[in-house]
Structure formats: structure tokens, C-alpha cells
Amino acid sequence: MIRIFRLLFFPLLIFSQEISIGNERLNKLNLGDLEYVSLGKVIKALNGSLWRAGNRVVCVVPDSGETAEKEMVFTLDSSWALVGGEMVRLTSPVIEQEGSILFPVLSLKEVFPQIKEEIKEVISVTSSVKRDTAFYFFEISPPGNFYLRQLSSLSYEVIISARFLLSDLPAKGIVREIKIDRGDDETRFIFYFKKPGQAKGTKREEGILFKFFPTQPRERNLLIVLDPGHGGKDPGAVGKLGTREKDLNLAIAKKLAQRLERAGYRVLLTREKDEFVSLKERVDFANKNKADIFISIHNNASRENPRAVGFETYFLAEGRTDLERAQALKENEVLKLEENSNPFLNDELSLILSDLAQTEFLKESEELACAIQDAADAYLGLANRGVKQAGFYVLRGALMPAVLVEGGFLTNRREEKLLRQEKTQEKIAEAIFRGVKNFLLSYEKKIAGER
Ligand SMILES: [Zn+2]
């Protein structure tokens, strides 16, 4: 059935506290620096419909496309959305407050292109400097929105939803150079710094004030979450001599923790003793504590090939080879033991969303995996099986660089004997420690500006 909708374009006017779409006037809510608007009211103004399923919000609005309507799926507390079948990243998560579902004002135009925005213009820019801190006030009429994103410790991207017809801006204080990319209704600036710095934007009555200032030294040491695999009713792999993977993983994790703490890092373990911890709890623990990196520690097994030996490091990505996929299946097997069998597991959208979370750190995760594997190769004396990628559940959804280390093979007699020795456990811990330290030398500089 084809339904014909009258094509409507709704002018979007943003006043300081109200938005109007068509004839509807919607209140804006300020939550911290973010502006939100009721999603229900937006959908109603667009003559669409909305319903909820758990933490999902599904909306259908009339559209000019062939199907005459567009479906959108939002997830509460997530910035990722499915819009007409495509993944879109919103400027901030969709949230629920006092029973009302709130949508970020800055993403309105991207998700609902039928809302047309009145063209705004930057009238003037006033700049000043105090020590190294530079201030730029953009006078905009009517008031516009902005989007601020750190590109590196030395650069920021600023997008203003307004036309910019003025001449170039002067570099002041910490700001070394400003590049301007002029669009019809929005302008993109890149501010380059002379030294690591940060930026803050504040909306004022008649415009936006940006402040660029040098990064203060970090207040806290980096936090590393170590995750000794398996535990409790889940022994992991078991060797011929009875060595249980769960005990070995914990022993190595504790030795690694000592080294990291001595080097000045903060360390937390997902389990300190022989107890069962679900895979989801492990990732949640790292996220909740805002870990800077996550290392899951395991040891290996191969029923098919008792000759298999060596050390390997994984980061999360779809496995490229059958072997990599088989490895993920093996370590994910514990999911069967988890009592409240994870509701996320069979939920494809959640998997996509959590994978995307880790995708942001894919490059860093791969670098961390390589650093650990290189250190192991140089120091450990176990066979080097290389860096691999696979879809380990325990790495999914980690909001930080995350890797999984497989120390050695419990199914190989010789290697099992080695792994039982405290000396070997110390060496594995030392190898991982060296890799982590090398990785953090460059990573620390990169994230220093983000705090
Ligand atoms: Zn394992």
C-alpha cells in the first residue's frame, strides 16, 4: 500500500528557550551544556508516531522518499541511532527524564531534514586574550548553536550553525592558527594551538563565547583495569596436569598489577579471588570506573592440536579467519553459564551499538595489542603467535582501548609445565607490563588534553 503524504517543510526557529516547528512551540531544556527537546513533541509536530519497546524508542514520520515514511530507532542513553536503516551518531545521547524522552537539539536537522532552519549569520567576532587563554565571542543573529570537538591535544573543531561572511579571525594567546570552512548555513572552524590545550563554549543571549586555554597537568594517574578470565564455576581451560586457566589468569593479573602500581598507575581487577563474574559485569566494571585501558588475561587451549604453543594478543573486531572466530567462540562460551543469560546477546542492535562503542578505540586497541605482542616477542621466549582480531564478548562495549591476552597453551604438556612455574607467570606479567608501558607513553600524551 502506498500512502501519499503532503510534503511539508517545517521552518525551525530556535529562540533562547523555545523551538518552533510549524505551528508547534516546544520548550528547550538545558541539561548542563546540552540542549534537549521532547522527542514526542517533535514527532507530533511532524505528524508522525512514536512508541517504546524497553529502552528502544521507535518513531515513524512522513518522508518524501519512495516509502513515504521514515523509521527511526533510538536507544535510551545511547548516541547511536538507526535512521532510515542507517547508523547515525547524535551529538549527545537520547535520554529519559521524568517520563519524557528527550532528543538533542543539535541533531534535529540531521535526523529530521524536513525541518528547515532559518539561516543565521555571524554578525561580529570579538576576541581578547588573558595570559595564554584566548576568548572569541561570536555575535549571531538569530542565536545559533554550536558543536565543539577535540581533534587532538593541539586542535579543536568548532561548528557553528550560522553563515560566516566576515574576514579571517586573528590568532591569539594559545591559538596559533584558525582555519575556516564556510558553508551555506553552518561554518566549520579548526583552532590550532601552540601547546596542548582545551576549549569550552558557552551560549550567551546574543551569541556564543569560546574560551581556549592550556591543559592543566593531569590530576590523577591513569587507571588500568585488569580482567583475569573465568573464575568460580567456570574454570576455563584445564591442562593434563590439572592446571586451571582461572587460577593462572588470576596469578598473572596480580603480578602484572604489582608492576603497574609500582610504575605509578592505578589498577583495579574485575575479580580478586576465585569467583564467577559475568562477561557483561567485567566490561561494566571497567566503564563504570572510567578505566583508561582494559586488559583481559587468559591462557589458551587447543583440543585439536596438542602441539599448539605460544603467546597471542587479540583486539575486538570481526574475526578474519576461521581460527580467530573459533577462538572467540571458545572464550564466549561462558555466556552459557551465566544465569540471567544476557539479554543483550541475542539483540543484534545492542551488539552493533556496543561494537561501535569499541570501534572508536579500534586503532588504539590494535596499537595496544601490538605493543604487548612486541614486548612479549622481545622478552618472553614463548612462541610468538602474533596480534589477532576476534569478536570477544568481554571486549564489546568497552569505552576504552581493550585487548585480550592469551598467555600460553595449557593443552601442550611442555607449555603447561612452564606455565605452572611462578617464574613463567612473572615473565608473562613483565612482558605485558612492558608492552602497556610503551603504549601508554604515547597514549598518555594524546589523552592528556581530554581531561
Ligand atoms: Zn580463557
Side-chain angles (χ1 to χ4, degrees):
M1 184 179 74
I2 298 170
R3 273 178 290 171
I4 308 293
F5 282 96
R6 193 158 58 95
L7 257 188
L8 291 175
F9 282 99
F10 302 85
L12 169 74
L13 293 166
I14 302 184
F15 302 107
S16 57
Q17 280 314 318
E18 274 187 336
I19 294 179
S20 61
I21 299 175
N23 296 325
E24 302 277 338
R25 293 176 82 79
L26 318 180
N27 281 327
K28 268 193 308 183
L29 287 157
N30 288 304
L31 301 175
D33 287 343
L34 304 171
E35 286 183 335
Y36 279 92
V37 64
S38 155
L39 181 62
K41 288 183 179 162
V42 171
I43 299 296
K44 190 170 159 238
L46 296 173
N47 298 322
S49 47
L50 171 153
W51 61 95
R52 265 187 81 165
N55 64 342
R56 295 283 139 65
V57 183
V58 182
C59 306
V60 175
V61 292
D63 187 48
S64 53
E66 213 167 89
T67 51
E69 56 183 29
K70 188 154 86 176
E71 188 182 283
M72 285 156 242
V73 184
F74 305 105
T75 305
L76 291 179
D77 299 321
S78 168
S79 304
W80 291 99
L82 267 178
V83 177
E86 278 180 43
M87 291 301 281
V88 170
R89 175 148 205 195
L90 310 176
T91 51
S92 48
V94 171
I95 55 173
E96 183 174 24
Q97 226 187 34
E98 288 160 10
S100 171
I101 298 160
L102 301 179
F103 188 87
V105 168
L106 280 179
S107 292
L108 276 177
K109 236 179 73 185
E110 185 182 6
V111 175
F112 305 100
Q114 58 271 64
I115 300 176
K116 269 206 168 172
E117 205 165 342
E118 185 186 0
I119 293 197
K120 304 178 183 69
E121 189 167 334
V122 178
I123 309 287
S124 71
V125 180
T126 325
S127 56
S128 63
V129 64
K130 197 174 160 191
R131 287 214 197 99
D132 276 348
T133 302
F135 299 88
Y136 292 83
F137 181 72
F138 287 72
E139 187 192 347
I140 301 168
S141 174
N145 282 304
F146 70 94
Y147 174 69
L148 190 65
R149 182 166 71 112
Q150 183 171 41
L151 299 176
S152 74
S153 60
L154 292 172
S155 58
Y156 261 86
E157 175 186 54
V158 174
I159 297 174
I160 294 178
S161 61
R163 193 162 55 183
F164 189 82
L165 301 174
L166 305 171
S167 57
D168 290 351
L169 297 174
K172 288 198 173 164
I174 186 179
V175 176
R176 176 173 60 81
E177 192 191 350
I178 304 163
K179 286 210 171 126
I180 307 177
D181 181 8
R182 296 159 205 262
D184 290 339
D185 53 3
E186 65 174 32
T187 314
R188 179 171 175 261
F189 301 85
I190 299 186
F191 285 78
Y192 294 95
F193 301 156
K194 293 173 188 158
K195 56 184 173 185
Q198 280 170 286
K200 208 174 172 261
T202 322
K203 282 189 79 167
R204 293 282 166 87
E205 195 96 319
E206 271 139 17
I208 306 161
L209 177 67
F210 292 100
K211 177 181 165 189
F212 301 95
F213 51 99
T215 302
Q216 297 303 315
R218 246 176 335 101
E219 307 124 42
R220 68 175 183 95
N221 295 335
L222 289 182
L223 172 65
I224 298 163
V225 165
L226 300 180
D227 171 46
H230 312 279
K233 63 188 172 187
D234 168 25
V238 181
K240 284 252 161 59
L241 301 170
T243 319
R244 297 179 304 184
E245 187 196 341
K246 62 176 183 178
D247 302 327
L248 192 52
N249 297 342
L250 184 60
I252 295 170
K254 285 186 170 168
K255 291 175 178 12
L256 175 56
Q258 279 174 3
R259 285 170 167 77
L260 291 166
E261 277 168 355
R262 272 203 300 265
Y265 300 111
R266 292 189 305 135
V267 182
L268 289 173
L269 270 65
T270 54
R271 66 177 176 98
E272 307 254 359
K273 52 182 195 283
D274 184 14
E275 65 183 346
F276 184 81
V277 182
S278 77
L279 295 180
K280 183 170 184 298
E281 281 167 335
R282 294 168 193 257
V283 184
D284 287 352
F285 177 82
N287 287 343
K288 199 183 72 206
N289 285 293
K290 297 194 166 38
D292 293 295
I293 59 176
F294 178 81
I295 304 173
S296 192
I297 295 168
H298 286 254
N299 280 275
N300 227 329
S302 171
R303 297 281 155 232
E304 311 77 44
N305 180 11
R307 284 203 304 261
V309 289
F311 181 99
E312 60 194 15
T313 313
Y314 284 84
F315 63 99
L316 178 76
E318 207 46 59
R320 287 167 308 188
T321 66
D322 286 347
L323 263 180
E324 287 172 342
R325 280 190 287 272
Q327 190 69 14
L329 280 179
K330 208 156 54 187
E331 297 295 9
N332 290 344
E333 211 155 62
V334 60
L335 287 169
K336 291 183 202 147
L337 293 176
E338 294 184 3
E339 273 126 17
N340 303 321
S341 181
N342 204 309
F344 289 94
L345 228 210
N346 297 320
D347 182 334
E348 252 176 50
L349 186 62
S350 283
L351 278 187
I352 295 169
L353 293 173
S354 55
D355 267 1
L356 281 168
Q358 179 56 205
T359 301
E360 281 190 54
F361 300 97
L362 195 62
K363 192 168 153 281
E364 284 84 6
S365 295
E366 185 174 9
E367 281 168 11
L368 175 58
C370 289
I372 291 175
Q373 195 63 31
D374 285 350
D377 184 48
Y379 175 77
L380 194 55
L382 294 180
N384 179 357
R385 298 174 62 88
V387 166
K388 298 175 177 176
Q389 53 190 71
F392 290 116
Y393 188 84
V394 72
L395 302 183
R396 286 181 196 271
L399 300 171
M400 70 233 36
V403 297
L404 185 145
V405 169
E406 296 274 3
F409 278 79
L410 285 169
T411 41
N412 178 276
R413 275 209 185 197
R414 215 179 62 85
E415 204 152 88
E416 185 191 5
K417 272 187 198 155
L418 280 175
L419 290 168
R420 288 167 74 88
Q421 294 170 12
E422 185 144 8
K423 200 176 65 189
T424 311
Q425 297 164 12
E426 294 281 3
K427 284 187 92 170
I428 293 176
E430 177 67 24
I432 301 172
F433 169 68
R434 291 183 182 195
V436 171
K437 218 174 56 178
N438 286 340
F439 169 78
L440 286 178
L441 281 181
S442 55
Y443 187 60
E444 211 165 356
K445 276 189 211 122
K446 197 183 145 201
I447 61 175
E450 290 171 13
R451 289 177 198 284

